[in-house]
């Protein structure tokens, strides 16, 4: 039997605490997606490894990753930035989103039914106060992380194929790794319960704080502090106006909302990798 033609691919979490190389077929044209609740919220796109020996860490190691188990599957992610790296059951899957120069839009996605492999899961109930925003024709959407530590309520006009505001899929380094699908409500439209369970990751301007559940790793939203005028005045000039313009924003990752099907929404793809102050440098 002829030996498979392999190539070493380099991958990393966004904060670069974990950098590793993976042996995969020289050309990877297909990614796997599971239909269970966790993989949907995470947007994982996987490739099955032949062996754990196909992984070689350059920085960090498997033992220090955060682990979240559900059923007989263990999900491993960076505790610092939340990047989802591995799905481990009877086989090991690497999340292709962590690969350097990964482009989801060039892959063929193969859907895998996962029902026999994972336990039944029900979305956690939102028990917070309804957001205060007054919006004509609005409905209340609820959702949260997978483990139920964090829930949220979003008051919005219907999020369906008639939605006429921005719904964004971005190919920048962080959005690719976290599989964000962004919607941009104001703070008054959002109620988050148990935000104390969040870990936050910030980079670039350092104004946005990307939240994820520290238990299960699911990325929830983009947080900006309620800066006072005095605090804004103390910011560097290049951050000041940007902060003022976004102070009332509370962008939400649509993957965490229950009953919203991303495939039915008018999503806009944005090449965020070509925007911003400075390009991301792969370690």
């Amino acid at each position: 039997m002829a030996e498979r033609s392999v190539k070493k691919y380099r991958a990393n979490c966004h904060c670069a605490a974990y950098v590793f190389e993976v042996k995969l077929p020289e050309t990877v044209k297909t990614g796997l997606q599971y239909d269970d609740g966790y993989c949907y919220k995470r947007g994982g796109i996987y490739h099955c490894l032949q062996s754990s020996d196909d992984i070689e860490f350059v920085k960090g190691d498997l033992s220090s990753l955060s682990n979240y188990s559900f059923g007989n599957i263990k999900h491993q992610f960076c505790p610092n930035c939340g990047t989802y790296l591995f799905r481990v059951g009877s086989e090991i899957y690497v999340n292709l989103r962590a690969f350097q120069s990964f482009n989801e839009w060039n892959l063929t996605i193969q859907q895998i039914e996962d029902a026999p492999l994972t336990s039944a899961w029900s979305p956690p109930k939102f028990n917070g106060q309804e957001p205060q925003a007054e919006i004509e024709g609005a409905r209340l959407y609820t959702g949260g992380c997978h483990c139920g530590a964090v829930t949220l309520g979003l008051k919005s006009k219907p999020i369906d194929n008639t939605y006429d505001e921005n719904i964004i899929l971005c190919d920048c380094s962080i959005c690719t790794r976290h599989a964000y699908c962004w919607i941009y409500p104001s703070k008054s439209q959002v109620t988050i319960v148990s935000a104390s369970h969040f870990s936050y990751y910030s980079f670039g301007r350092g104004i946005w704080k990307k939240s994820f559940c520290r238990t299960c790793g699911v990325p929830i939203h983009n947080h900006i502090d309620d800066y006072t005028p005095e605090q804004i005045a103390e910011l560097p000039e290049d951050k000041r106006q940007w902060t003022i313009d976004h102070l009332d924003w509370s962008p939400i990752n649509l993957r965490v909302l229950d009953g919203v099907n991303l495939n039915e929404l008018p999503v806009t793809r944005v090449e965020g990798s070509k925007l911003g102050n400075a390009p991301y440098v792969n370690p």
Side-chain angles (χ1 to χ4, degrees):
M1 181 182 295
E3 292 187 7
R4 62 172 182 157
S5 179
V6 299
K7 173 182 175 180
K8 274 191 176 182
Y9 291 84
R10 198 172 179 94
N12 60 277
C13 66
H14 194 270
C15 71
Y18 298 87
V19 183
F20 56 97
E21 294 180 338
V22 184
K23 294 178 183 176
L24 291 181
E26 188 166 2
T27 302
V28 176
K29 296 181 179 180
T30 302
L32 306 177
Q33 279 193 328
Y34 284 86
D35 66 354
D36 63 279
Y38 186 84
C39 294
Y40 175 78
K41 287 180 181 290
R42 284 301 229 155
I45 299 177
Y46 310 97
H47 196 286
C48 184
L49 303 181
Q50 291 199 347
S51 164
S52 59
D53 293 337
D54 288 341
I55 308 169
E56 181 180 350
F57 272 85
V58 177
K59 184 180 179 183
D61 58 76
L62 280 171
S63 65
S64 59
L65 288 169
S66 289
N67 296 290
Y68 173 65
S69 294
F70 185 75
N72 58 352
I73 303 296
K74 179 171 65 175
H75 304 278
Q76 298 181 297
F77 59 94
C78 172
N80 304 313
C81 65
T83 302
Y84 180 28
L85 301 178
F86 302 104
R87 181 186 194 275
V88 183
S90 57
E91 297 175 298
I92 301 174
Y93 294 81
V94 62
N95 185 9
L96 295 176
R97 289 186 175 279
F99 281 34
Q100 298 179 2
S101 303
F102 170 79
N103 190 332
E104 171 189 2
W105 303 338
N106 291 338
L107 275 183
T108 299
I109 303 300
Q110 180 182 348
Q111 299 291 336
I112 306 294
E113 291 187 6
D114 200 38
L117 301 178
T118 57
S119 303
W121 176 82
S122 297
K125 292 184 178 180
F126 171 72
N127 57 5
Q129 294 185 344
E130 183 173 315
Q132 298 177 349
E134 295 184 3
I135 301 172
E136 185 177 354
R139 60 164 290 189
L140 178 66
Y141 291 87
T142 61
C145 66
H146 190 268
C147 70
V150 179
T151 59
L152 66 86
L154 167 66
K155 185 182 284 187
S156 170
K157 56 188 175 183
I159 303 173
D160 55 23
N161 59 8
T162 67
Y163 193 80
D164 58 1
E165 297 184 24
N166 285 332
I167 299 176
I168 299 295
L169 280 177
C170 172
D171 74 344
C172 76
S173 58
I174 188 70
C175 290
T176 293
R177 283 173 170 80
H178 282 291
Y180 291 118
C181 184
W182 290 116
I183 192 173
Y184 299 91
S186 66
K187 289 180 177 178
S188 65
Q189 292 177 251
V190 180
T191 297
I192 293 178
V193 178
S194 298
S196 59
H197 286 276
F198 279 149
S199 288
Y200 292 98
Y201 174 63
S202 188
F203 69 102
R205 292 186 179 91
I207 303 298
W208 286 125
K209 298 178 180 179
K210 289 177 166 55
S211 68
F212 61 95
C213 173
R214 70 168 64 99
T215 299
C216 64
V218 170
I220 303 291
H221 83 317
N222 232 346
H223 173 78
I224 187 170
D225 290 337
D226 293 321
Y227 286 87
T228 66
E230 292 76 18
Q231 290 172 321
I232 291 174
E234 293 174 357
L235 291 173
E237 186 175 352
D238 62 332
K239 298 181 181 180
R240 208 172 298 152
Q241 189 59 50
W242 192 93
T243 303
I244 292 171
D245 292 343
H246 296 83
L247 200 57
D248 189 45
W249 287 29
S250 185
I252 298 295
N253 179 14
L254 277 177
R255 290 185 178 276
V256 305
L257 295 184
D258 304 325
V260 173
N261 188 338
L262 301 188
N263 295 325
E264 297 175 354
L265 302 180
V267 173
T268 299
R269 292 180 174 182
V270 173
E271 291 183 302
S273 58
K274 299 179 180 179
L275 306 175
N277 291 333
Y280 178 77
V281 178
N282 287 313

